[in-house]
């Protein structure tokens, strides 16, 4: 009895002393669908480093979902300290709705605030039975293409724009590109709402002949599910996907977490952070890390949304807004 | 003519007041907010959002498959209730408990499971597709998912009425020389119709709002297998709150009209029956 009493006093004392020296800090990182595994590792590594640096115990919670949906949650009041989303259009939305970040948020960190990049590749079944080598093979009759709905999935917008960019370059005009993309979507039997859902439809349900996927998702699928079932086909041209990151100013200023949130994002640019990104199949920005992992990331022609589509706002208006080019695939003449 | 009777709860005024405030808070306030949101755009934009070809197609898919699923359950749910009430057999309690499972299961789990079953490489889908049909990723899949989630409503509406239906009425009919079909048509079904209709209305309403299970199995092709709730979610993702509210208001209005119509029919059935009984 006495021993137990003494122990509990000790515990109280211990708890009091640690809380006096070091604080418990929490951060919420609101991210998009396929970054779960990446940020699990990044969070552990950064929390350890932060503990050493400041003595504070840092807990980073992460939330994942479709990029647009996640942005909407933050706009509607989810207290995210940082957002790490699929496209800058969604973070722009945080500025336009409620001024949660400043207009020039993307200039605050190097490389358009995108510490890692990715691109869109094809995942096909083993042996590539339909011989799909490049985008023009996807519009052939009898080819099933699996890609999510660009209205609800950030990843699917990259897919759509990659196909469009390829078609415009090889066929020469936006009109021809429209026909090409329309034909491509005629080959899509299922429109999932998110990237993970599309991967499941292709991998588990056996639908379609090719999955348009983030390079990191495709590499993950091949590594996890096995090289004997799937292989990756890299098209001649694709899009440079730059998933951006930002602190949410309104939230960090209210919660007093700006310093730790900013170092968290800068950590992504350090060699250690870049190494983790590469390990999780994101293309690192850092030259030396990129060289080390060069075998994983084949070279191909990459176009950016800025140079090919005049930025995300123009791209959204022309392609994804109500009645824009994507809608006209299904409801012509509107 | 007013009848005064002692009630267990005191005060008509007090209870009615409580009920009205409760309903206002829980039901009317959110609905009013929804209508208000949809009114934040002009009537032209509202009309355009609510009646675009894609929205019209989505209403067709949503209301059509909800009605179809309700009809399927109207037949099989009633039969299930009949078997559960009228027969005693081993495992009856187990089956009775099974009926409520679709209530308890998260609908996303139901959707994923059904898709795995009915996809072309699934244990059921393999045979169905070999026979030349497709369920998963077509409008048929939507009906399958809705039949699953709305089954309990009809069974649980019909069951208590059937239990209180005395078998001696049927026996009396039999002694008067009525055959099985006559007894079913003239004795049993008239007593059950109000409950069956109430169950159908609940199942139908549930199906209209169903999202979680359907999106996995539907294929979600615009104009073909895109349900109205998905269109709402897509609009929300585009941060088009007013457009989403416009579609929601249309669904709300149609649902309300359908439920009201079913309730009126039900009332008429009950009245007609009691009038006959008096005669």
């Amino acid at each position: 009895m006495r021993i137990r009493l003494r122990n509990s006093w000790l515990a109280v004392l211990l708890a009091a002393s640690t809380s006096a020296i070091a604080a418990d800090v929490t951060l919420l990182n609101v991210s998009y669908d396929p970054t779960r595994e990446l940020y699990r590792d990044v969070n552990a590594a950064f929390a350890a480093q932060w503990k050493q640096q400041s003595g504070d115990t840092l807990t980073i919670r992460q939330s994942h979902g479709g990029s647009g949906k996640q942005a909407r949650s933050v706009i509607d009041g989810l207290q995210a300290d940082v957002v790490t989303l699929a496209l800058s259009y969604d973070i722009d939305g945080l500025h336009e709705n409620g001024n949660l970040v400043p207009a020039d948020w993307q200039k605050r960190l190097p490389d358009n605030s995108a510490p890692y990049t990715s691109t869109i590749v094809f995942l096909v079944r083993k042996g590539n039975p339909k011989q799909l080598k490049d985008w023009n093979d996807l519009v052939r009759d009898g080819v099933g293409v699996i890609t999510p709905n660009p209205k609800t999935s950030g990843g699917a917008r990259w897919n759509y724009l990659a196909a469009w960019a390829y078609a415009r370059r090889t066929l020469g005009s936006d009109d021809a590109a429209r026909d090409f993309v329309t034909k491509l979507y005629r080959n899509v039997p299922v429109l999932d709402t998110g990237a993970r859902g599309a991967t499941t439809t292709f991998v588990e349900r056996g639908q379609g002949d090719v999955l348009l996927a983030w390079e990191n998702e495709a590499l993950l699928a091949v590594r996890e599910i096995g090289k004997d079932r799937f292989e990756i086909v890299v098209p001649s041209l694709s899009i440079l996907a730059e998933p951006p990151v930002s602190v949410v100013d309104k939230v960090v200023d209210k919660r007093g977490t700006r310093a730790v949130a900013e170092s968290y994002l800068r950590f992504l640019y350090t060699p250690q952070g870049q190494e983790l990104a590469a390990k999780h199949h994101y293309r690192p920005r850092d030259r030396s890390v990129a060289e080390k992992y060069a075998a994983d990331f084949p070279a191909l022609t990459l176009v950016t949304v800025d140079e090919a589509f005049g930025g995300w706002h123009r791209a959204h208006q022309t392609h994804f807004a109500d009645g824009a080019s994507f809608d006209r695939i299904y409801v012509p003449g509107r | 003519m007013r009848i005064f009777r002692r009630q267990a709860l005191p005060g008509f005024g007090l209870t009615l007041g409580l009920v009205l405030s409760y309903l206002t808070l829980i039901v009317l306030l959110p609905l009013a907010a929804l209508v208000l949101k949809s009114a934040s755009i002009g009537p032209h934009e509202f009309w355009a959002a609510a009646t675009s070809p894609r929205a019209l197609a989505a209403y067709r898919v949503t209301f059509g498959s909800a009605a179809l699923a309700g009809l399927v359950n109207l037949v099989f749910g009633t039969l299930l209730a009949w078997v559960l009430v009228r027969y005693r057999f081993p495992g009856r309690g187990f089956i009775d408990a099974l009926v409520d499972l679709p209530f308890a299961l998260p609908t996303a789990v139901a959707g994923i499971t059904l898709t795995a079953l009915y996809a072309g490489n699934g244990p059921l889908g393999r045979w169905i597709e070999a026979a030349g049909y497709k369920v998963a990723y077509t409008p048929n899949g939507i009906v399958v998912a809705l039949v699953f989630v709305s089954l309990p409503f009809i069974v649980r509406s019909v069951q208590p009425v059937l239990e209180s239906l005395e078998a001696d009425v049927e026996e009396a009919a039999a002694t008067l020389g009525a055959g099985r079909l006559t007894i079913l048509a003239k004795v049993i079904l008239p007593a059950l119709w109000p409950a069956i209709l109430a169950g159908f209305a609940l199942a139908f309403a549930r199906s209209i709002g169903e999202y979680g299970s359907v999106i996995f199995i539907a294929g979600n092709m615009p104009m073909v297998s895109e349900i109205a709730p998905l269109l709402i979610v897509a609009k929300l993702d585009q941060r088009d709150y007013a457009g989403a509210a416009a579609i929601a208001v249309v669904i709300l209005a149609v649902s309300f009209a359908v439920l009201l119509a079913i309730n009126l029919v039900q009332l008429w059935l009950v009245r007609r029956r009691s009038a006959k009984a008096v005669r």
Side-chain angles (χ1 to χ4, degrees), chain A residues 37-47 60 264 267-268 273 276-277:
Chain A
E37 295 80 10
L38 167 67
Y39 279 106
R40 199 173 300 146
D41 284 1
V42 166
N43 292 350
F46 179 72
I60 304 165
Y264 175 61
F267 175 78
L268 295 168
L276 285 173

Side-chain angles (χ1 to χ4, degrees), chain A residues 15-30:
Chain A
S17 68
T18 48
S19 68
I21 300 164
D24 282 332
V25 189
T26 59
L27 282 185
L28 174 61
N29 175 2
V30 170

Side-chain angles (χ1 to χ4, degrees), chain A residues 111-177:
Chain A
D111 301 318
N112 296 326
S113 287
Y116 41 78
T117 66
S118 193
T119 186
I120 302 301
V121 297
F122 306 163
L123 191 69
V124 298
R125 303 191 190 283
K126 186 70 196 172
N128 198 356
K130 295 249 165 122
Q131 289 301 307
L132 309 170
K133 302 258 169 59
D134 208 345
W135 291 100
N136 54 348
D137 295 319
L138 305 190
V139 299
R140 288 199 320 238
D141 285 342
V143 173
V145 181
I146 303 295
T147 175
N149 187 340
K151 290 244 180 190
T152 50
S153 157
R157 290 186 201 175
W158 295 109
N159 298 352
Y160 187 94
L161 294 181
W164 194 286
Y166 167 87
R168 192 172 48 196
R169 187 166 291 197
T170 48
L171 305 173
S173 75
D174 270 323
D175 283 339

